[in-house]
Every structure is written in C-alpha cells, then in structure tokens.
Amino acid sequence: MKNKIINLAAASVLFPILATPTIADDLKIGGSVRANYSYSDYSESSKDKVGDFDFNLVSITFADKWDDIGVAAEYRFMEGYDFLKYGYAYWDVNEELSVSGGVINKPFGNKGYASHNWWYSLNYYLGFEDDYGVGVAAKYQKGSSLTELALIKNALYGSSDHRDFAGTVAKGTIGNISYNNEETNTVAARQSFTLNRGDLTTVIGASVEYGQLYNSEFGENGDTLNYAVHLDMNYDGWGVQAQYLAYDYDQYDDGRVDLNKIGMGMLDSFFEVASKGNIYTANLSKNIATSWGNYTVYNDFSMVQPDVDEYDDSVLNTTGVSLSYGPVFVYVDYYAAKNVLWLGGNNLGLTQENDNWDHRFNVNVAYYF
C-alpha cells in the first residue's frame, strides 16, 4: 500500500507538469535507460555463462523554476521494485543563501561523489555518499566559503522498507538476530573552502552529523556520531580526492543484538556492517577531452576498518574509464575487492569467510534523454 501511495504522489506531481502548458522557461524533463554487463570470478554461474547482461534501470527526472522558487525530482524503476531517489522544493533567498525541503541530499563528505565509478565507494553502502532523507536544509556561500546545514527527520521509506538509495540503519532480520533501529532527527553540517590558484582548484572541508537511532520495539534511543575531513583537487584535468571518516552507530542494547554489528537497508536489500570504524578514501583521475567524447580515467580506493580486533577490513579498489558522448554515458570498471558486500562478500567490516580477493569486470551503458 505504501508503494502505491508513493507512486500516486509522484504521479500527482508529474501529471500536471506533463499535461499542462507552462510559461516557465526552466522546465526540464528527462531521464535515462541503463543496461549492465558483468563478469564475476566469485560466481560460478557468471563464469559458466561468460558473464551476465541485463536491464539496470529506467529513471525519470524533472526540474522547474519560477523566479527564486524551484523543484526537482528523480524516480527510478529497477527490476522488481521502484523508488524515489530525491524530490524537493527550494528557495534561493538571495545570491548567497538557499533553503530546501523534501527528500534532500545529506551534506556530508566529498561534494557530489566520493568516487568516479559505477559501483561508488564503500562510503555509499554505509550511508555517506549520495545519501538522501526527508528533511530541510540551508546552504550559504560567501566567497570561498560554503556552509551547509540539514535536519534529516527520517529515511524516505521508513525503517522496514529497504528501498532507500544509499545505506540506511533499518529494521530487519539476519539469521536469528532481529534489528529494530531507525534513523531519525539527524543533524548534518558541512563546511568547505574552495581555493583557486591558476589552474589549480582545491576544495578542503570537514563534516559532522549526529542523530537518534530509535528502537521501536523497546521505545529507547541509541545515537550516531560521524565526522569526516575531505580534500578534492583538480589541475589541468588531473583530479585527487581523499577523505578520512570516523563513524559510530551506537544502537540501544536490547540484550539480544551484538553491539559490534548493526543492520542496514538499501536498494531493496538488508545486510550487516561493523557498527563502528573508520573509512579511508583515495582517488586519482584524469579527464581527457577528444573529438570522440570526454573520457575520465580513474583509480578509486576505499577501505572500511572496523573498530573490533576480531573483525576484518573491507577493501575495494576500482580501476576504470568513463566515456561521455552526447546522450550516451559508459562506465568500464574492474573491481578488486576483499570482504566486500555483493562483490564476493555479504557484509562490510565483519569477519571474512576467506582471505581471497574477488574480481569483477563491469560495463554499464546509459542513454540520457
């Protein structure tokens, strides 16, 4: 029923825009269709079939603006489920201050993305890259300084529906352990400075967030405190990204869960991660413009280091290239992973089943309209 309500709500917003003439000059309606090929050495069926080629997703986007007021949204359809990625209204109060409300992006970490590849970095699966929630935000830019604040009231789909786009602390059962947590009342702040010197652009910043982890079964609260320092540099097409992030999901002790683990949901899945640890990110890229399109060659590295001696690190290194040519965008990636969820593993930062490196070759093709 909740899925139907959300679909109807999206339709009620989209239909008037699509069906009614508008005098706004900034109306933009678009989307994408994507397909994916992968070959995984940790999957016997993938090796037997020489890889898998399948539909990835269809997305619909729209944006409009009237004077200083604007709206933007994206809805995605994947195999077996669909979800709203973001949808918000905003007001440009003046040239320096903007406020927004709805399903908004959480201001935390490297601006935009902490990676270049289709799989993202390990930050994404723990809720620290391209993460969205229901709330309000403000952004104030003055010269080289950018200050961003947000109150995220809760996840878009609550705690039991695991369709949120990025990792979200949620309810669910794994084995004989039931988690009853939900993220609520999270305050996030990000401060950055952009420094320009000739062809060199450097963005340095720090982020922090604090919020409740509400246990609905016992009516008790835990909390979460996460912070990061980050760097993003660009010079003559070369890019360097680096980030150190410390996170702590301190859930209420109901006497049944292992407090060193916590359950998270995303993309219609539920999994366990180490509840406390550090995430290290280091990326190198080179952008090359040619008559055949715009290429970006990159190597992205991220590692989750759990704060428990008995647990094992999760490590992901991605070497790849992306191509943008007109309406077509292609990722060609090679992933080398150890103890990584959905890349040969089933969790992040917990005890690994073996000491093997797992490998996946992936090609994702998108057409934007």
Side-chain angles (χ1 to χ4, degrees):
M1 176 60 72
K2 190 173 185 179
N3 183 32
K4 293 180 180 178
I5 292 173
I6 292 171
N7 285 338
L8 288 172
S12 68
V13 173
L14 283 170
F15 182 78
I17 293 175
L18 294 172
T20 304
T22 178
I23 59 173
D25 294 330
D26 294 327
L27 176 63
K28 298 179 179 66
I29 299 174
S32 66
V33 179
R34 309 183 196 183
N36 198 78
Y37 170 80
S38 65
Y39 178 86
S40 307
D41 71 354
Y42 49 85
S43 168
E44 291 301 322
S45 63
S46 178
K47 291 191 289 185
D48 291 343
K49 295 183 293 182
V50 196
D52 298 281
F53 184 77
D54 51 34
F55 158 77
N56 183 206
L57 67 84
V58 171
S59 68
I60 302 295
T61 64
F62 81 88
D64 206 351
K65 191 173 184 181
W66 307 268
D67 296 325
D68 298 326
I69 305 297
V71 293
E74 178 176 342
Y75 204 90
R76 293 189 169 190
F77 302 85
M78 302 184 74
E79 186 176 358
Y81 68 102
D82 55 87
F83 62 97
L84 181 70
K85 181 182 177 183
Y86 62 82
Y88 59 89
Y90 63 92
W91 175 29
D92 291 332
V93 181
N94 52 45
E95 292 183 355
E96 299 168 344
L97 177 64
S98 178
V99 296
S100 58
V103 183
I104 57 174
N105 183 250
K106 180 175 69 178
F108 194 95
N110 285 108
K111 194 68 175 175
Y113 301 98
S115 58
H116 303 87
N117 66 88
W118 177 72
W119 197 268
Y120 288 14
S121 73
L122 297 182
N123 296 279
Y124 169 62
Y125 301 88
L126 283 157
F128 303 113
E129 181 180 0
D130 209 18
D131 186 26
Y132 295 84
V134 180
V136 294
K139 178 172 66 175
Y140 180 78
Q141 185 154 17
K142 182 74 171 180
S144 64
S145 172
L146 174 62
T147 303
E148 298 168 276
L149 301 171
L151 169 63
I152 308 295
K153 181 57 182 175
N154 48 258
L156 170 58
Y157 289 99
S159 57
S160 299
D161 186 337
H162 304 142
R163 287 181 295 156
D164 289 282
F165 181 64
T168 303
V169 175
K171 297 180 183 179
T173 300
I174 295 179
N176 59 353
I177 301 298
S178 292
Y179 296 94
N180 291 287
N181 303 299
E182 60 180 285
E183 294 185 22
T184 186
N185 298 328
T186 300
V187 178
R190 182 183 186 274
Q191 175 64 52
S192 64
F193 299 90
T194 300
L195 310 175
N196 294 298
R197 186 168 184 176
D199 293 332
L200 175 64
T201 299
T202 303
V203 181
I204 57 174
S207 302
V208 63
E209 68 170 313
Y210 177 80
Q212 290 177 264
L213 295 179
Y214 178 66
N215 186 305
S216 58
E217 183 176 355
F218 290 85
E220 299 285 351
N221 287 301
D223 60 17
T224 178
L225 175 62
N226 315 306
Y227 60 88
V229 290
H230 28 86
L231 170 73
D232 200 328
M233 300 177 66
N234 288 278
Y235 177 78
D236 193 27
W238 287 95
V240 174
Q241 287 181 318
Q243 179 171 276
Y244 166 73
L245 189 156
Y247 73 94
D248 185 2
Y249 290 120
D250 185 15
Q251 63 192 310
Y252 170 70
D253 185 2
D254 63 7
R256 297 177 295 187
V257 297
D258 181 346
L259 296 179
N260 294 317
K261 303 177 182 180
I262 198 165
M264 303 194 77
M266 64 178 290
L267 298 179
D268 214 29
S269 300
F270 188 74
F271 52 91
E272 289 177 310
V273 303
S275 60
K276 184 178 182 180
N278 303 305
I279 308 176
Y280 303 91
T281 309
N283 306 327
L284 178 65
S285 65
K286 172 61 175 174
N287 184 265
I288 305 169
T290 73
S291 59
W292 287 93
N294 193 56
Y295 295 83
T296 301
V297 182
Y298 47 82
N299 192 88
D300 293 341
F301 174 86
S302 56
M303 177 175 70
V304 175
Q305 182 184 65
D307 194 30
V308 176
D309 292 339
E310 291 76 18
Y311 290 165
D312 298 306
D313 296 345
S314 291
V315 182
L316 173 61
N317 192 83
T318 305
T319 302
V321 58
S322 63
L323 165 65
S324 175
Y325 184 75
V328 177
F329 194 93
V330 181
Y331 289 105
V332 180
D333 294 323
Y334 180 75
Y335 310 118
K338 180 180 282 192
N339 197 31
V340 171
L341 175 75
W342 301 326
L343 285 174
N346 59 6
N347 60 67
L348 286 173
L350 303 182
T351 303
Q352 62 189 36
E353 297 179 358
N354 55 59
D355 198 38
N356 297 336
W357 282 91
D358 298 303
H359 305 273
R360 171 170 169 152
F361 175 72
N362 199 90
V363 179
N364 188 267
V365 181
Y367 174 80
Y368 288 86
F369 55 88

